[in-house]
Amino acid sequence: LRVANLNQNKIQNTQPLAKLSRLVSLDISANNLQSLVGLDELSQLYWLNASNNQLADAEILQDLKKLKSLYVRNNQLQSLAFVSHLIALENLDAENNNRSSFPKLPTGIKTFRI
């Protein structure tokens, strides 16, 4: 499996997705997620939409070195500091979160909404 669209399914646990090691694109928006545990195992992931959940922390994503597009709008993220570690990141949408400071953005960023 390379692409998965799991939006609007009331998902509460992403741990089972860790076994999908070839996944490159994942939409888990509009679920009931409070954590992204397991997604750090998806080293091939380059597109992720985790918008419209209840995420307070997304630090677990900082090791996804191939991630180019990240959508985490409408969550409860306190910090976006982890995005500075996403060396391939080009597109970021993190509007409407609870962050208190502007994050350091990767040098290759092309579009962002914060």
Side-chain angles (χ1 to χ4, degrees):
L1 186 64
R2 310 246 319 137
V3 175
N5 185 340
L6 304 172
N7 70 326
Q8 299 182 9
N9 280 291
K10 299 181 183 175
I11 295 170
Q12 295 180 357
N13 182 3
T14 55
Q15 183 65 51
L17 299 173
K19 296 178 182 177
L20 301 174
S21 61
R22 297 183 61 198
L23 208 59
V24 295
S25 178
L26 175 62
D27 187 343
I28 51 172
S29 62
N31 280 288
N32 296 325
L33 297 171
Q34 295 181 0
S35 168
L36 296 175
V37 171
L39 297 192
D40 54 322
E41 301 290 325
L42 304 178
S43 62
Q44 302 303 309
L45 202 64
Y46 68 79
W47 190 92
L48 174 62
N49 186 351
S51 297
N52 302 306
N53 282 289
Q54 293 90 40
L55 301 171
D57 181 7
E59 297 287 321
I60 199 162
L61 300 178
Q62 71 184 3
D63 293 326
L64 298 180
K65 302 304 182 196
K66 294 187 177 182
L67 198 61
K68 288 187 177 188
S69 296
L70 175 61
Y71 305 91
V72 288
R73 70 176 13 217
N74 299 324
N75 278 289
Q76 300 166 8
L77 298 176
Q78 301 291 319
S79 171
L80 296 174
F82 70 95
V83 301
S84 66
H85 300 281
L86 301 174
I87 58 175
L89 195 65
E90 295 178 354
N91 306 297
L92 172 65
D93 185 346
E95 281 189 319
N96 198 21
N97 278 285
N98 295 333
R99 63 170 181 74
S100 59
S101 63
F102 193 81
K104 179 181 180 221
L105 297 173
T107 57
I109 200 86
K110 294 179 180 173
T111 64
F112 66 92
R113 291 180 174 193
I114 298 178

